[in-house]
Amino acid sequence: MVDAVEEKYRHLEATIKEHMPSTDLERIRAAFEFARKAHGTQLRKDGNEFVTHPLAAAEIIVEIGMDVDSVCAALLHDCIEDTEATIDDIEKQFGKDVAAIVDGVTKLTRVTYTSAEDEQMDNLRKLLFAMAQDIRVILIKLADRLHNLRTLEYVNPVQQREKALETMEIYAPIAHRLGMQKMKWELEDLSIHFLDPVACDDITEGLKLRHGEDEAFLETVKTKLTERLNENGISAQVTGRVKHLYSIYRKMYGQNKTLAEVMDLHAFRIIVDDIADCYNVLGLIHELYRPIPGFFKDYIGTPKPNRYQSLHTNVIGSEGIPFEVQIRTWEMHQTAEYGIAAHWKYKEGKGEKEADEEKFAWVRKLLESQQDSDAQEFMQSLKVDMFSDEVFVFTPRGDVVNLPAGSTPIDFAYSIHSEVGNRMTGAMVNGRMVPYSHTLDNGDIVKVLTSKAAKGPSRDWLEIIKSPEARSKIRQWFKKEKREENVIHGKLSFESELRHANVPIADAMQEDILKKVLARTSFGSTDEMYAAIGYGGISAQKVVNRVREELRAAEKNKQAEDPAQEVVTRAATRKKAPQGVIVEGLDNCLVKFARCCSPIPGDSLVGFITRGFGVSVHRKDCPNYIKAVSQDEDSEKGRWVSVSWADTGTSLYATTIDVHVHDRTGLVVDVASVFNTMSIRMTSFNARPISTGGTLITIAVELKNRDELVTAMAKIMNVQGVTDVRRTEG
């Protein structure tokens, strides 16, 4: 009696004979036996032998028309991750190509990650890198994911949602980017069932209720189209269908419509022999039905980046029901259904390898633009670069440039060349000047204005661009050209993030903690780390997370060495922190420094008793105090009290200064360098143009006393371009 697994293998062989009649079945049988032995008694969640999963993945690979190495790799794809088998074992028996594909699909299971995002990022990076070397890697990964979704009902609800969401965000869009529409649709339809089962059930039930009506409409239109094509001597295949589940779901819940309100539920496909017939058919359809303005797309003249080609038009029939028609040749149809697999470079030998390299050169381009990004940014950029809708614009010479939807002239400039972006001084769209933030639309003609005297990109550009390619090139410019400025910006961002995370700066800067953080983030010095934060190579949040982890680890080690240490630490935190000031006639009262004047040791003080909030301490030259005294209100007199400085020790105090400048290149760095050389900590640094001309820089600092501040202000006045320096008032 044939067991269930053997029966599934025989079904795979039958599929191979149908799609790949001249295939070496002995080699595929050997791969199956290897996988079955390696997985042994392992079971799937549905109770079947684990090897049934690679068998199903291999069958999907056969159906999309891949080669023998791909089928073998699909059968072996889980061996390295889930069994004792090694890459060397696979290479010895099945060759380098199969081993490389299996390695590319295998996750990085032996690495410890600090977050799920880091793990997902590294797995995807490895997958994309292997994909850039051999596109078969991602095809097997897609087959693996598709079968996992088909059997996802046996997994717990939390994992169901995680896998379904990851598929919608990563794998379905990859299938789209590879032009594999058939697989994309199934991945989306399966995923949405687990993400929103109630809505999917409603749609399914609604479609069942109107099934007869839909079938009648599809048959009527199909007959009418076929008759008209036959009358004009055009040989064609005409098919009609109701759009797939996720497409309907997006229209209903993205546009807040009921199923009855979704009008364009129906789509027709006409496949002809050559390109000329495509356009002939388009004319005949527009004679039969009224075209809807703005809904015609010529993807034959302007193919999508994934090589998709078809004519799309939306029309309205005599019943008043709109529908879509796609017109393509048989070759275009193969590309639309199977994408990159339809042009498989190994299918007919290695001769076409070079010609097909450009078909997935975007993978290498994507990897290059993501070299320095952290996990969160990598995932975000990946979704934008690989998975976003596209916008097609033109250069003044008529060349087509493909960009992510929402792109700006800056994205366009950097897509042409780094130097075009770096020297950009303005942009014209369709013959008129536009701001840098202008959103480009399909068909726009974009001209970039450049100058050799341009100052280079602005950090503000990073907030408005859409393409990771432009983001990467701008960061590279700042990394190379603005190191000192990057260090300053990075230091400020790092310290600001520490305060946001309630991590004392002194704790973070301990030599042993900092040394471990630098090692974990692969920087040789704090300046290197600050520079990377400054130009965007790593986020301040990620570095601070590393600091917190090291501080927690250090605290655990101390407690392990001395259990009494925890008691001492808790006792120390109960001690009242010194306020630094003495309030005449009041003991143990709450004291806070007024933000309007930010007093520091050395300033003459006065206190104001607030209702319920203790004593607010002001400088005696504070405009608010002077105004209050000049008004001489009796009700307020008794609330002003004498305040003096106590022994402030090494405590730091916050204050703010305003620096008026005539802007010039490098001025910000020169001003900030004054504080750096004096080891004065800056907590914020903001610059804005003012109506009277010039720029106002507002700097918040933490320092010991007034003498230190006066010295710093005097040095700043000596900086070229500075016209005035004063304490912030009000």
Side-chain angles (χ1 to χ4, degrees):
M1 182 177 176
V2 178
D3 65 26
V5 173
E6 183 64 30
E7 189 174 330
K8 288 182 182 295
Y9 175 73
R10 290 185 180 181
H11 189 273
L12 171 64
E13 277 196 342
T15 307
I16 292 170
K17 289 174 182 177
E18 178 186 349
H19 291 270
M20 307 159 61
S22 59
T23 298
D24 179 3
L25 290 175
E26 287 186 13
R27 194 156 177 255
I28 291 173
R29 178 80 200 195
F32 162 65
E33 296 291 356
F34 184 103
R36 187 172 192 181
K37 182 179 179 181
H39 287 293
T41 58
Q42 293 175 359
L43 298 177
R44 297 267 292 167
K45 296 286 186 181
D46 60 6
N48 289 320
E49 283 188 42
F50 190 91
V51 76
T52 57
H53 166 63
L55 273 169
E59 187 158 345
I60 294 169
I61 287 296
V62 172
E63 288 170 351
I64 63 175
M66 299 305 294
D67 64 341
V68 176
D69 280 354
S70 301
V71 180
C72 290
L75 288 166
L76 301 166
H77 79 268
D78 276 325
C79 286
I80 308 306
E81 184 176 341
D82 296 328
T83 79
E84 298 300 317
T86 67
I87 285 293
D88 288 341
D89 296 335
I90 292 175
E91 184 176 334
K92 285 176 184 175
Q93 190 164 345
F94 301 100
K96 287 186 178 181
D97 278 2
V98 173
I101 297 170
V102 173
D103 186 45
V105 179
T106 303
K107 292 179 182 176
L108 303 178
T109 53
R110 296 174 178 83
V111 180
T112 302
Y113 297 95
T114 57
S115 68
E117 290 81 5
D118 281 343
E119 181 176 8
Q120 187 184 45
M121 177 195 71
D122 277 351
N123 281 328
L124 278 169
R125 269 198 175 129
K126 185 186 180 194
L127 185 68
L128 290 168
F129 179 77
M131 176 179 168
Q133 309 304 312
D134 192 330
I135 201 70
R136 290 175 290 186
V137 169
I138 195 63
L139 299 178
I140 291 169
K141 185 62 182 177
L142 288 171
D144 167 64
R145 177 52 59 102
L146 179 56
H147 181 251
N148 279 333
L149 284 179
R150 288 174 178 173
T151 56
L152 203 59
E153 63 194 272
Y154 300 102
V155 177
N156 70 65
V158 174
Q159 287 181 314
Q160 284 177 349
R161 290 188 60 82
E162 287 176 353
K163 291 291 184 185
L165 185 60
E166 185 181 50
T167 300
M168 293 294 279
E169 291 187 336
I170 303 296
Y171 293 102
I174 284 180
H176 170 68
R177 194 68 168 82
L178 293 172
M180 307 176 73
Q181 297 305 312
K182 191 175 180 181
M183 184 175 285
K184 169 183 176 279
W185 291 342
E186 187 174 358
L187 289 169
E188 289 174 339
D189 286 356
L190 290 169
S191 297
I192 201 64
H193 267 295
F194 295 101
L195 293 172
D196 196 344
V198 175
C200 288
D201 288 344
D202 286 346
I203 294 171
T204 303
E205 288 301 314
L207 290 174
K208 283 181 181 177
L209 291 174
R210 53 179 292 165
H211 177 72
E213 180 184 333
D214 286 335
E215 286 297 311
F217 176 77
L218 291 171
E219 188 59 35
T220 300
V221 174
K222 178 183 173 183
T223 301
K224 195 171 183 179
L225 288 172
T226 303
E227 288 175 353
R228 179 56 65 94
L229 295 174
N230 289 338
E231 288 171 7
N232 286 271
I234 296 175
S235 174
Q237 181 189 86
V238 181
T239 57
R241 61 179 173 81
V242 174
K243 290 189 175 180
H244 71 107
L245 179 69
Y246 181 61
S247 177
I248 298 171
Y249 178 92
R250 282 199 310 175
K251 290 180 182 295
M252 287 179 60
Y253 295 94
Q255 301 171 18
N256 195 26
K257 292 181 177 181
T258 64
L259 184 61
E261 292 172 323
V262 178
M263 298 299 291
D264 54 337
L265 280 174
H266 311 93
F268 293 85
R269 182 174 298 139
I270 302 175
I271 306 175
V272 296
D273 294 329
D274 55 47
I275 292 176
D277 278 346
C278 290
Y279 291 97
N280 289 333
V281 169
L282 178 69
L284 294 173
I285 290 171
H286 285 178
E287 285 178 12
L288 276 173
Y289 302 103
R290 188 169 71 252
I292 301 174
F295 283 86
F296 169 66
K297 294 175 182 175
D298 184 351
Y299 292 121
I300 293 178
T302 307
K304 289 187 176 184
N306 60 16
R307 298 301 175 108
Y308 176 87
Q309 288 183 289
S310 282
L311 298 178
H312 288 199
T313 185
N314 283 48
V315 296
I316 296 180
S318 56
E319 303 89 343
I321 301 174
F323 57 91
E324 181 185 48
V325 182
Q326 299 173 0
I327 310 162
R328 62 180 66 146
T329 66
W330 286 101
E331 184 180 353
M332 293 172 190
H333 180 62
Q334 285 295 107
T335 301
E337 291 286 292
Y338 300 110
I340 196 72
H343 297 276
W344 179 236
K345 65 178 180 179
Y346 291 92
K347 187 180 291 184
E348 297 178 9
K350 304 274 185 170
E352 297 182 10
K353 180 174 181 178
E354 292 76 12
D356 277 359
E357 284 298 320
E358 63 177 274
K359 291 190 174 81
F360 46 94
W362 54 270
V363 182
R364 285 186 289 278
K365 193 174 181 182
L366 171 67
L367 289 169
E368 288 167 4
S369 70
Q370 300 306 321
Q371 286 177 357
D372 297 322
S373 57
D374 60 22
Q376 184 177 2
E377 185 180 346
F378 175 81
M379 294 305 297
Q380 184 60 37
S381 295
L382 191 68
K383 292 169 191 174
V384 170
D385 199 345
M386 189 184 276
F387 314 145
S388 67
D389 291 331
E390 300 98 5
V391 59
F392 297 91
V393 297
F394 296 90
T395 69
R397 297 167 62 179
D399 297 325
V400 179
V401 176
N402 171 241
L403 297 167
S407 288
T408 67
I410 303 171
D411 296 287
F412 175 86
Y414 279 102
S415 74
I416 301 301
H417 196 278
S418 299
E419 282 305 302
V420 175
N422 293 339
R423 294 180 178 180
M424 183 178 182
T425 57
M428 298 178 71
V429 174
N430 302 326
R432 64 182 181 86
M433 292 294 297
V434 296
Y436 287 143
S437 58
H438 177 82
T439 301
L440 300 176
D441 292 321
N442 278 319
D444 282 345
I445 300 172
V446 187
K447 180 180 180 181
V448 178
L449 307 179
T450 62
S451 169
K452 290 184 179 180
K455 295 180 179 179
S458 163
R459 291 183 189 275
D460 294 339
W461 292 6
L462 294 169
E463 301 300 319
I464 60 175
I465 57 175
K466 291 294 182 183
S467 64
E469 180 183 4
R471 190 175 307 279
S472 174
K473 288 178 177 179
I474 291 171
R475 285 176 173 169
Q476 289 302 317
W477 186 87
F478 276 106
K479 181 179 182 179
K480 181 180 178 182
E481 304 290 339
K482 299 284 185 179
R483 178 173 169 76
E484 289 186 6
E485 188 177 319
N486 291 334
V487 171
I488 292 166
H489 277 281
K491 187 171 186 287
L492 288 173
S493 298
F494 176 62
E495 292 178 352
S496 174
E497 186 61 34
L498 284 173
R499 284 188 294 276
H500 180 73
N502 293 318
V503 177
I505 294 176
D507 290 356
M509 300 308 290
Q510 294 176 62
E511 186 176 350
D512 58 333
I513 297 296
L514 201 56
K515 186 176 180 181
K516 291 177 181 177
V517 170
L518 291 174
R520 288 188 64 183
T521 51
S522 303
F523 294 113
S525 66
T526 51
D527 275 1
E528 278 187 30
M529 181 182 76
Y530 291 148
I533 295 172
Y535 73 77
I538 191 172
S539 69
Q541 182 183 26
K542 182 172 183 176
V543 178
V544 169
N545 286 341
R546 298 291 185 266
V547 170
R548 294 170 73 176
E549 290 164 10
E550 293 301 334
L551 287 171
R552 281 195 291 265
E555 185 63 31
K556 284 182 180 179
N557 291 337
K558 284 182 182 178
Q559 291 175 17
E561 293 169 4
D562 183 6
Q565 179 67 32
E566 186 179 1
V567 178
V568 174
T569 302
R570 284 202 301 265
T573 59
R574 287 196 295 268
K575 291 175 65 178
K576 190 173 184 293
Q579 299 286 354
V581 297
I582 299 170
V583 181
E584 185 178 304
L586 295 174
D587 293 327
N588 297 323
C589 66
L590 178 66
V591 173
K592 64 175 183 178
F593 294 105
R595 291 185 179 180
C596 55
C597 56
S598 302
I600 57 177
D603 290 328
S604 297
L605 304 179
V606 65
F608 184 75
I609 301 174
T610 61
R611 292 183 174 90
F613 295 99
V615 175
S616 177
V617 179
H618 294 254
R619 301 193 330 245
K620 280 192 175 179
D621 60 351
C622 173
N624 289 336
Y625 169 64
I626 294 171
K627 181 180 178 181
V629 172
S630 66
Q631 290 176 346
D632 198 28
E633 296 181 8
D634 291 339
S635 61
E636 301 292 330
K637 280 183 178 179
R639 296 172 66 185
W640 289 100
V641 295
S642 296
V643 178
S644 59
W645 290 103
D647 179 14
T648 57
T650 58
S651 299
L652 296 178
Y653 294 82
T655 193
T656 308
I657 64 170
D658 291 335
V659 183
H660 293 260
V661 303
H662 291 309
D663 199 9
R664 65 170 173 81
T665 302
L667 186 143
V668 169
V669 175
D670 292 343
V671 171
S673 294
V674 170
F675 295 105
N676 277 349
T677 54
M678 293 181 66
S679 298
I680 294 174
R681 181 174 295 129
M682 292 179 290
T683 58
S684 71
F685 195 108
N686 297 302
R688 61 181 175 85
I690 51 179
S691 58
T692 55
T695 300
L696 173 64
I697 302 175
T698 302
I699 309 170
V701 295
E702 291 179 347
L703 33 65
K704 296 175 184 175
N705 52 48
R706 191 170 185 273
D707 290 342
E708 195 172 33
L709 178 64
V710 170
T711 301
M713 290 171 67
K715 289 185 176 182
I716 290 172
M717 272 302 298
N718 290 327
V719 173
Q720 180 186 351
V722 174
T723 58
D724 190 26
V725 184
R726 63 182 67 186
R727 298 274 290 275
T728 303
E729 297 181 353

